[in-house]
Amino acid sequence: MERSVSLEKRRERSAYAFVLPYAILFSVFIIVPIILAITLSFTNFNSIEFPTFVGFLNYINLLTQDDIFMQYVLPNTIIFSLIVGPGGYILGFLLAWILAQLTRVPRTILALIFYSPSMTAGVAMTVVWRIIFSGNEAGYLNGILMQLGMINEPIIWTTDSRFILPIMIVVALWGSMGVGFLAMMAGVLNGDRELYEAAAIDGVSNRFQELIYITIPSMKPQMLFGAVMSIVGAFSNGLIGVQLTGSNPVTGSYAGQLIVNHIDDYGFQRYEMGYAAAVSVILLIMIYLFSMVAKRLFSE
């Protein structure tokens, strides 16, 4: 009896030892920064002098005085996230399901092709997308439209307030096949084949019925992971606009300004770290709320 208890304790210590590195990294890079951001959000901090406590003043100013945030940044972020998040998620799931129907070699090649933009988005932004949306006749899109006679002179796409947000959405969807896409494809591939055989006996006769009644219910953990990753990626994606336009704020009319850009503007250009921390806390709350909605949808 004592020997079995001692063996169980050693197993517990081994389990804690394996979890410890992750727990340390999670605490250092997630928990501690969140605590510091919440703390700084109640201060006036210029990154040089010691922070001074101001209570809820930053939040009050954000919601009542920051017209740019309320009129441009918040609506832009919501529109961008509601299109890129669900759109990228649905697109990722459909691609994962379609690729799962292929044999191993073409599936692997196509999966790498779809996944690679999420890893090389920064390079592709400079090499590909800025050339496509270049504001002169050398730009691919301007050249095609002028040859077709649809426009008479080049359009400066990345500085035009009418086009910058749709362009950002297109680029974000193009690069949205990340780890969530891989997780969902793994969920489709690792489904229990016996369920499909039993369903065929019960009358499930086509792939669409298999998708609705077997595939999606059997891979809820992967679906939840993909949903959370899509939400986090959509709300935290502010680099696209800066890379396309080369400036922050994104265009003079803030047509492509997202919350992440607003945080960067106040924190690292105006050095109002306390106010930037308050904006980041609002962003964290928004991500948490949408993640809870996704968890409720895909809970058991």
Side-chain angles (χ1 to χ4, degrees):
M1 182 66 181
E2 292 180 358
R3 184 178 179 181
S4 62
V5 172
S6 177
L7 180 61
E8 186 66 25
K9 289 183 178 180
R10 285 200 299 269
R11 289 178 177 175
E12 289 182 0
R13 285 196 293 267
S14 298
Y16 286 125
F18 279 109
V19 173
L20 184 61
Y22 171 79
I24 293 174
L25 292 174
F26 183 79
S27 299
V28 171
F29 293 104
I30 303 295
I31 301 299
V32 173
I34 289 176
I35 294 174
L36 290 177
I38 295 174
T39 303
L40 286 177
S41 68
F42 296 103
T43 67
N44 181 20
F45 181 42
N46 59 9
S47 75
I48 299 176
E49 300 175 333
F50 190 81
T52 56
F53 181 77
V54 295
F56 288 94
L57 182 62
N58 287 326
Y59 294 98
I60 295 173
N61 290 337
L62 176 64
L63 299 176
T64 61
Q65 303 295 325
D66 194 340
D67 294 335
I68 293 175
F69 178 82
M70 299 302 296
Q71 294 181 14
Y72 302 103
V73 176
L74 187 59
N76 289 344
T77 303
I78 293 175
I79 293 172
F80 180 88
S81 301
L82 288 180
I83 296 177
V84 173
Y89 176 74
I90 294 172
L91 183 62
F93 173 75
L94 291 177
L95 285 175
W97 182 72
I98 293 171
L99 293 182
Q101 316 305 315
L102 304 178
T103 56
R104 182 175 181 178
V105 174
R107 180 176 67 235
T108 302
I109 295 173
L110 290 174
L112 289 174
I113 291 174
F114 288 125
Y115 177 68
S116 59
S118 66
M119 299 185 295
T120 61
V123 177
M125 196 74 65
T126 302
V127 177
V128 179
W129 291 106
R130 292 189 67 175
I131 297 176
I132 292 175
F133 294 109
S134 177
N136 51 41
E137 296 182 1
Y140 293 160
L141 185 56
N142 276 329
I144 293 172
L145 294 178
M146 291 180 70
Q147 288 182 358
L148 294 175
M150 299 179 67
I151 59 174
N152 297 321
E153 57 183 15
I155 299 175
I156 307 178
W157 300 97
T158 57
T159 59
D160 195 318
S161 60
R162 297 172 298 173
F163 303 116
I164 183 61
L165 189 60
I167 290 173
M168 290 169 57
I169 291 172
V170 170
V171 176
L173 288 173
W174 171 79
S176 62
M177 302 298 106
V179 292
F181 159 70
L182 296 181
M184 287 187 287
M185 190 166 69
V188 176
L189 291 173
N190 294 321
D192 190 351
R193 303 312 305 176
E194 293 182 356
L195 291 176
Y196 293 91
E197 295 172 1
I201 296 174
D202 290 337
V204 173
S205 58
N206 56 62
R207 292 293 179 86
F208 181 75
Q209 289 179 331
E210 289 181 351
L211 177 66
I212 298 299
Y213 295 113
I214 303 174
T215 304
I216 293 177
S218 64
M219 55 177 290
K220 284 187 176 181
Q222 292 86 356
M223 299 284 286
L224 175 60
F225 177 78
V228 172
M229 295 303 297
S230 296
I231 292 169
V232 173
F235 276 100
S236 61
N237 201 337
L239 189 60
I240 291 177
V242 176
Q243 288 179 327
L244 284 173
T245 63
S247 65
N248 186 17
V250 180
T251 73
S253 59
Y254 298 95
Q257 190 82 343
L258 303 179
I259 291 182
V260 173
N261 305 125
H262 206 57
I263 294 172
D264 181 72
D265 182 21
Y266 276 90
F268 300 101
Q269 297 186 34
R270 309 187 192 196
Y271 296 103
E272 298 181 21
M273 292 293 184
Y275 189 80
V279 180
S280 68
V281 171
I282 296 297
L283 177 60
L284 178 64
I285 293 173
M286 293 174 64
I287 293 175
Y288 176 79
L289 292 176
F290 278 90
S291 299
M292 288 298 100
V293 172
K295 183 178 180 181
R296 182 65 62 89
L297 290 175
F298 294 106
S299 60
E300 291 297 335

